[in-house]
DNA sequence: CGTGAAAAGATTGTATGCAATCTAGTCGGG
DNA sequence: CCCGACTAGATTGCATACAATCTTTTCACG
């Protein structure tokens, strides 16, 4: 398979080749097609996309910055494998940032934006109703895009980029530590958030967004039972 | 001049060469030794640090991610030249994030951390009292490090990295749009923040941090009078 | 003399080659 | 039989070479 087989289907791909590869890899990681810890060999990725290692290295460096890839010197790049502690930090960051973003979005939202929110929620509902891994990936993307649209409407490009990183890494965390999918639950909360946004009720909106994040985190199993910690406990340290 | 002339003087330089060059360039940009808009030629930087363009490109890509460098395809990299709007977004982001970080830091601070804060404030005072561009650069660094220490004590690596970016970009913004240096004013507020932190008064701390950011932004001249907008207005568009 | 096209020079984007490092498999000793 | 050292293969880090693009200078034409 080469990149050309899917070039037409891609979303907002950058025009530069490194950015395009980064976008494709990110989609695969966030969509859980690439499991955490998977080795991303430069030669292999390069062969897949028909580019040299130079371009692949640039793409991997970008993903490393976003925290989706862990790069180890002389060893290569791997899909990130966030620890429970990192997971907590990711959600603590979202808990701090997103209610504020929502307040700002509430002040700036207009009819066009509300339509885009509604379209995303409809897409999300449609994918939840569908079966198959393709639908799961699309559902994850729609759910994340809901939060990103909030940041976009808020009109702050920096916070939007922070949110892109946090939402992407959240998907990895949920893949690793998610107890249930809880997608229908999250979806219902998205509807409530849109209601508050449409009503212009900034306080209710901020509260709902905060609770939404709490609920997602509450569905995680972040007990210190990862491989390394478990071993450590097993040895009685 | 080569990198070796200063290698011993560096701070926490990464062991990899691209990271080292990134750190050196960042220090120069944040310390206002490199003016916004300055071209960063790959060959020139490479010659200066005695590495190939490959390594320089990696360093510049990192700085582009941090928003300190603007990279234009086929044209090269330039020290970032944030617009007034970007400046507002930077400070809006800090206004949202930093009070929350301060609250978290308040809950986790210990005696050792308080000593580090005190040392930074003393360093800042010392550099303010000194003359010369070297002292100005050190003063800027100490002031920024105060905010970064707050994020470090808060114990969230993700927010700490966000703050690193925001503090660095703030320095660029102040260099471009700062009315007065107002360094003594900021320094006094740092003392007040440390007081609240030592007292464990999270509410007062969060309020002081928020006001501190407001004061820094208030000292900026962000009227839409940049080059391009002025030209646009002059042409009556 | 001013304007625009065209060519020369400079700079970036990408591919490739070599050295250094890591990994895996093999062999010998205990 | 298990463990460690050693060697062969694979992979990454970096430098360099070439192609594509941009910039500047030159020069012809109006």
């Amino acid at each position: 398979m080469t990149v050309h087989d899917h070039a037409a289907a891609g979303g907002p791909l950058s025009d530069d080749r490194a950015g395009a590869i980064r976008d494709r890899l990110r989609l695969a990681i966030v969509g859980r097609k690439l499991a955490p810890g998977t080795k991303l060999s430069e030669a292999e990725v390069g062969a897949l996309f028909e580019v040299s290692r130079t371009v692949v290295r640039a793409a991997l460096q970008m993903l490393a910055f976003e925290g989706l890839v862990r790069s180890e010197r002389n060893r290569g790049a791997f899909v990130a494998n966030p620890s429970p502690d990192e997971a907590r930090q990711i959600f603590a960051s979202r808990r701090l940032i997103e209610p504020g973003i929502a307040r700002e979005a509430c002040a700036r939202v207009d009819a066009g934006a509300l339509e885009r929110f509604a379209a995303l929620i409809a897409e999300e509902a449609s994918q939840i109703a569908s079966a198959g891994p393709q639908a799961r990936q699309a559902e994850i993307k729609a759910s994340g895009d809901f939060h990103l649209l909030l940041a976009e409407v808020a009109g702050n490009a920096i916070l939007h980029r922070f949110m892109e990183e946090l939402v992407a890494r959240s998907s990895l965390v949920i893949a690793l530590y998610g107890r249930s999918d809880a997608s229908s639950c999250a979806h219902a909360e998205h509807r409530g958030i849109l209601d508050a946004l449409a009503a212009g009720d900034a306080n209710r909106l901020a509260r709902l967004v905060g609770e939404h994040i709490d609920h997602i985190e509450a569905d995680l199993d972040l007990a210190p039972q990862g491989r390394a910690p478990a071993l450590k406990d097993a040895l009685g340290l």
Side-chain angles (χ1 to χ4, degrees), chain A residues 32 35-37 79-84 86-87 169-179 220-222 225 227:
Chain A
R32 305 176 197 175
V79 177
N81 208 336
S83 68
E86 283 177 280
R169 297 179 74 174
S170 294
S171 178
L172 261 181
V173 166
I174 294 169
L176 276 171
Y177 303 107
R179 220 178 304 246
L220 265 38
D221 183 14
L222 294 179
Q225 61 182 6
R227 281 175 283 283

Side-chain angles (χ1 to χ4, degrees), chain A residues 94-178:
Chain A
R94 293 187 63 168
R95 192 66 174 77
L96 173 60
I97 294 175
E98 285 205 57
I101 284 179
R103 283 182 185 279
E104 192 62 31
C106 198
R108 294 176 175 243
V109 74
D110 58 14
L114 286 176
E115 276 180 33
R116 295 174 64 195
F117 276 107
L120 267 180
I121 284 187
E123 163 77 5
E124 197 181 0
S126 158
Q127 297 297 348
I128 288 175
S130 304
Q134 196 66 32
R136 292 289 76 71
Q137 184 173 4
E139 170 196 333
I140 293 167
K141 179 159 187 350
S143 173
D145 283 349
F146 182 86
H147 291 258
L148 291 181
L149 182 54
L150 216 52
E152 183 188 328
V153 171
N156 187 318
I158 296 167
L159 290 178
H160 184 266
R161 185 161 50 74
F162 288 172
M163 281 300 305
E164 279 184 329
E165 175 178 334
L166 290 172
V167 167
R169 297 179 74 174
S170 294
S171 178
L172 261 181
V173 166
I174 294 169
L176 276 171
Y177 303 107

Side-chain angles (χ1 to χ4, degrees), chain A residues 194-226:
Chain A
L194 177 52
D195 280 349
L197 190 65
D201 188 342
N203 287 330
R204 180 159 65 97
L205 175 65
R207 181 175 54 78
L208 287 177
V209 168
E211 289 173 357
H212 178 46
I213 297 166
D214 286 340
H215 291 161
I216 299 174
E217 188 177 5
D219 186 59
L220 265 38
D221 183 14
L222 294 179
Q225 61 182 6

